[in-house]
Amino acid sequence: MSDLSSLGERKIIELIYSLLDKPPITPIMFGDDVSAIPLHGGRLAVLKTDMLVGSIDVPPGMSLYQAARKAAIMNISDFAAKGVRPLVLLVSLGLPRSFTKKDVEALAEGLNRGAREHGAYVIGGDTSEAPDLIIACMLYGVARSLIPRSGARPGDILAVTGYFGNAAAGLKLILEGLDAPSGLKKTLIDSVYLPKARLAEGLALVQSRAATSSIDSSDGLAVSLHELRKMSKTGFTVNFLPLAEEAKKFAALYGFDARELALYGGEEYELIVTIRPDRWLNALEAVHRVGGSLIQIGVVTKETSICLVEGEKLIDIHYRGWEHFKSSNASK
Amino acid sequence: MSDLSSLGERKIIELIYSLLDKPPITPIMFGDDVSAIPLHGGRLAVLKTDMLVGSIDVPPGMSLYQAARKAAIMNISDFAAKGVRPLVLLVSLGLPRSFTKKDVEALAEGLNRGAREHGAYVIGGDTSEAPDLIIACMLYGVARSLIPRSGARPGDILAVTGYFGNAAAGLKLILEGLDAPSGLKKTLIDSVYLPKARLAEGLALVQSRAATSSIDSSDGLAVSLHELRKMSKTGFTVNFLPLAEEAKKFAALYGFDARELALYGGEEYELIVTIRPDRWLNALEAVHRVGGSLIQIGVVTKETSICLVEGEKLIDIHYRGWEHFKSSNASK
């Protein structure tokens, strides 16, 4: 009998999936960022649930308002990766009996804020007593199409919507009680407490019809590339590591490896996408039009390895990052 | 500052609601059994989330398979009350690290079973580590119309889909270590461990176009009548208390008040509906056709009180039953 920490979150999900009856039509593979079923008129009903657990997912110093907003953002980021506009959010809220009225107000305001920032409304839910703060959000939207994890083809351009490493640096700063000049510190900490979902970018990408696959990077750049690879059955050569300036400065301050922060950090909500080369300019223009960035970082390969090119060296990008049950809580 | 146990679950939900931005169109009131938004073609997207928490909602002796099945049933029962067919279920699963692979398998099988019993499929979700078992289900369906809590009119017939008291008796039996003849004991305990959702009845009722309001009775017959009253702004006179034979026998065995079990027990999943008198026979026929029962228990009144007629006496039915934060866990 193997226990959960040796299985890890992904094997647990595979185990559950193997025991479920399968619906007749599945517009998107199980294990993608969202679930979907066909609606009348060729549309898709798109659904997502993701849960925030106080003792696991809320770092020290994060307010309840920020935690609730983040719970909404976690779900919206998955919709963003598929290019689907979220319409409504429901929430199952588990509250310790010791919480105050003010705590509940902060949670309601955070949820409302996370949804409204992206045009969605909180329309229902449930509250229960629980031994820990639980915020299980459910997101719903309707789409004509969506960008799966499985569509990358060799020759496609690999791109991201922003630079990586700030959330990992911010988390290190918080958990290890480190310091940094105030402007830098604020940017790093904000990236942990106030993450952004790249919804405008995702919607622009689906409209540009240029993206062949997409995933959000909440489990880290490295893990997300591996997950994309697994579903697309391709590999990636990364020529340019999209390392955030602030993370670089922070790493220099303490002698950390900035690459580690960018690749293996997690809790970042950038999109990682593959783009048809003949539509690269369409994608770029669409994302720029909404005020976003699209940064070319590599290319999709037939070989299923994932390498980082550094000068004349090829460095393997490992499957390593945050994983529930496997990782220790203190590291998050 | 008032804490959660003095507020209680319903006031907490009202507080949260008061802080949310409201969507432009709401086909069903906040606080009804489900949430909904309009889809193209006059249909409604119907959504529900409800969460089961191990230490609060799982009585001793209930297996993980049964707990997971119950988590699905809790949500499906709310769809049943609205007459909406559930299509898909998603789940956010919180698992203590001490759980085994076998535990996860039991949960997957219970969820699958609860959904498949009612024609729905489990199509996605998320797992997290958590200090307690958390099963937050999300249910989705599409409907042309639904039966709200708010439509009861004076003169309508008050009816239920089954008899009450067995779940409360079963819970008493389990929690207080009582005994009963084996056949009786099994029926009572099964009503706790293997609750049924009245989906076929709810779908038949919406098709009969006879029901004016409906609610499920998971918070108990008394509380559910009060909630129906609140949204419909009517009262009820109950002429016949639908007391289950088994609960009656159990109460006689130990000298309990059987009425208490039926009115104030909770964790039962019968539907409580109001029916237009001129369509009573249509409703009855529709429910019988699917093998269900529809038992007339009273009438909707203009006066907003809720009374039970016993011989020449009128007894007030109080707002009393299970409520998160207010009730003690041991009583459930």
Side-chain angles (χ1 to χ4, degrees):
Chain A
M1 188 85 66
S2 127
D3 75 14
L4 302 198
S5 55
S6 71
L7 274 174
E9 183 179 1
R10 286 174 197 88
K11 285 250 181 294
I12 293 171
I13 291 173
E14 281 170 25
L15 173 64
I16 293 172
Y17 177 62
S18 73
L19 295 166
L20 300 175
D21 289 358
K22 310 300 180 289
I25 306 169
T26 46
I28 190 159
M29 280 169 74
F30 194 96
D32 207 308
D33 302 74
V34 301
S35 304
I37 58 163
L39 281 176
H40 285 82
R43 288 188 180 79
L44 298 171
V46 182
L47 298 147
K48 170 75 198 177
T49 179
D50 202 351
M51 176 161 73
L52 181 145
V53 177
S55 60
I56 308 279
D57 299 311
V58 180
M62 178 181 262
S63 70
L64 288 174
Y65 169 87
Q66 290 168 338
R69 181 185 165 280
K70 183 190 164 187
I73 298 298
M74 281 158 51
N75 284 274
I76 291 168
S77 177
D78 285 306
F79 265 50
K82 306 295 102 177
V84 177
R85 188 185 298 283
L87 295 173
V88 292
L89 187 148
L90 279 80
V91 60
S92 271
L93 208 51
L95 303 171
R97 202 179 269 234
S98 62
F99 269 36
T100 64
K101 193 177 161 194
K102 220 168 179 155
D103 293 337
V104 175
E105 287 169 351
L107 290 170
E109 284 164 357
L111 282 166
N112 186 62
R113 172 70 194 211
R116 296 302 300 135
E117 272 178 38
H118 300 91
Y121 290 95
V122 182
I123 63 160
D126 172 59
T127 67
S128 297
E129 191 176 341
D132 194 356
L133 171 66
I134 305 289
I135 313 177
C137 288
M138 278 96 191
L139 204 57
Y140 172 74
V142 176
R144 290 201 175 275
S145 65
L146 44 72
I147 314 169
R149 287 188 183 180
S150 58
R153 284 165 308 186
D156 286 350
I157 293 168
L158 180 66
V160 293
T161 56
Y163 294 88
F164 287 74
N166 283 357
L171 207 54
K172 241 181 145 54
L173 206 147
I174 293 163
L175 293 175
E176 298 176 16
L178 305 178
D179 210 353
S182 68
L184 177 60
K185 188 174 176 181
K186 187 177 178 336
T187 303
L188 297 180
I189 286 183
D190 278 359
S191 73
V192 176
Y193 292 157
L194 295 166
K196 304 260 178 291
R198 298 297 190 190
L199 182 64
E201 289 83 343
L203 295 175
L205 282 167
V206 84
Q207 282 186 333
S208 75
R209 287 180 294 136
T212 54
S213 75
S214 174
I215 187 171
D216 94 333
S217 58
S218 53
D219 292 327
L221 180 54
V223 168
S224 303
L225 284 172
H226 276 273
E227 290 296 319
L228 206 56
R229 178 186 78 94
K230 201 167 69 184
M231 284 224 189
S232 283
K233 299 183 176 66
T234 57
F236 303 107
T237 299
V238 178
N239 307 109
F240 171 71
L241 189 66
L243 185 53
E245 278 308 313
E246 296 86 352
K248 230 186 274 183
K249 279 185 198 155
F250 175 75
L253 219 55
Y254 284 98
F256 296 136
D257 184 350
R259 249 185 355 206
E260 280 284 312
L261 298 175
L263 279 170
Y264 303 112
E267 289 299 308
E268 247 148 336
Y269 294 94
E270 298 299 341
L271 308 185
I272 304 171
V273 296
T274 59
I275 306 284
R276 288 169 49 182
D278 60 320
R279 294 193 69 81
W280 170 252
L281 289 178
N282 304 69
L284 200 62
E285 195 196 14
V287 172
H288 284 173
R289 209 182 299 129
V290 297
S293 306
L294 195 64
I295 305 145
Q296 190 164 336
I297 67 165
V299 67
V300 181
T301 60
K302 211 166 158 181
E303 303 72 41
T304 58
S305 57
I306 305 183
C307 306
L308 173 65
V309 181
E310 272 211 343
E312 305 210 334
K313 281 192 298 183
L314 274 184
I315 303 168
D316 275 335
I317 295 179
H318 303 292
Y319 193 118
R320 178 156 61 81
W322 168 261
E323 184 171 1
H324 271 296
F325 306 103
K326 284 202 158 175
S327 306
S328 116
N329 301 356
S331 77
K332 204 191 184 185
Chain B
M1 188 86 64
S2 125
D3 76 15
L4 302 199
S5 55
S6 70
L7 274 174
E9 185 180 358
R10 286 174 198 88
K11 285 249 180 296
I12 293 171
I13 290 174
E14 281 171 26
L15 173 65
I16 293 172
Y17 177 61
S18 74
L19 294 167
L20 299 176
D21 289 358
K22 310 300 180 288
I25 306 169
T26 47
I28 190 159
M29 281 168 71
F30 195 96
D32 207 307
D33 301 73
V34 301
S35 303
I37 58 163
L39 281 176
H40 284 83
R43 289 188 180 80
L44 299 171
V46 182
L47 298 148
K48 169 76 197 176
T49 178
D50 202 351
M51 176 162 73
L52 181 145
V53 178
S55 60
I56 308 279
D57 299 311
V58 179
M62 178 180 263
S63 70
L64 288 174
Y65 169 87
Q66 290 168 338
R69 181 184 164 282
K70 183 189 165 188
I73 298 297
M74 282 159 50
N75 285 274
I76 291 167
S77 177
D78 285 306
F79 266 50
K82 306 295 101 179
V84 178
R85 187 185 299 284
L87 295 173
V88 293
L89 188 149
L90 280 80
V91 60
S92 271
L93 207 52
L95 303 171
R97 202 179 269 234
S98 63
F99 269 35
T100 64
K101 194 179 162 194
K102 220 169 179 153
D103 293 337
V104 175
E105 287 168 352
L107 290 170
E109 283 163 357
L111 282 166
N112 187 61
R113 172 72 193 211
R116 296 303 300 135
E117 272 178 37
H118 300 91
Y121 290 95
V122 181
I123 62 160
D126 173 58
T127 66
S128 297
E129 190 175 341
D132 193 356
L133 171 66
I134 305 288
I135 312 178
C137 288
M138 172 197 201
L139 204 58
Y140 172 75
V142 176
R144 290 201 174 274
S145 64
L146 44 73
I147 314 170
R149 289 187 182 179
S150 57
R153 284 165 309 185
D156 286 350
I157 293 168
L158 181 66
V160 293
T161 55
Y163 294 89
F164 287 73
N166 284 356
L171 207 53
K172 240 181 146 53
L173 207 147
I174 294 163
L175 292 177
E176 299 176 17
L178 306 177
D179 210 352
S182 69
L184 177 60
K185 189 173 174 180
K186 188 177 177 337
T187 303
L188 298 180
I189 286 184
D190 277 0
S191 72
V192 176
Y193 292 156
L194 294 166
K196 303 261 178 289
R198 298 297 190 188
L199 182 63
E201 289 83 345
L203 295 176
L205 282 168
V206 83
Q207 282 186 334
S208 76
R209 286 180 294 135
T212 54
S213 75
S214 174
I215 187 171
D216 93 333
S217 58
S218 53
D219 292 327
L221 180 52
V223 167
S224 302
L225 284 172
H226 276 273
E227 290 296 319
L228 207 54
R229 178 185 80 92
K230 201 167 70 184
M231 284 223 188
S232 282
K233 299 182 176 64
T234 56
F236 303 108
T237 300
V238 178
N239 308 109
F240 170 71
L241 189 66
L243 185 53
E245 278 309 312
E246 297 86 354
K248 232 187 271 182
K249 279 185 199 156
F250 175 75
L253 219 56
Y254 284 98
F256 296 136
D257 183 351
R259 248 181 1 202
E260 280 284 311
L261 298 175
L263 278 170
Y264 304 111
E267 287 301 307
E268 248 149 335
Y269 295 93
E270 298 298 341
L271 308 185
I272 304 172
V273 296
T274 59
I275 306 285
R276 287 170 50 182
D278 61 320
R279 295 193 68 81
W280 170 253
L281 290 178
N282 304 68
L284 200 63
E285 195 197 12
V287 172
H288 284 172
R289 208 181 301 129
V290 297
S293 306
L294 195 64
I295 305 145
Q296 190 164 336
I297 66 164
V299 67
V300 181
T301 60
K302 210 166 158 180
E303 302 73 41
T304 58
S305 57
I306 305 182
C307 306
L308 172 66
V309 182
E310 272 211 343
E312 303 209 336
K313 280 190 298 183
L314 274 185
I315 303 167
D316 275 335
I317 295 179
H318 302 292
Y319 194 118
R320 177 156 63 81
W322 169 261
E323 185 171 1
H324 270 296
F325 305 104
K326 283 201 159 176
S327 307
S328 115
N329 301 355
S331 77
K332 203 188 183 188

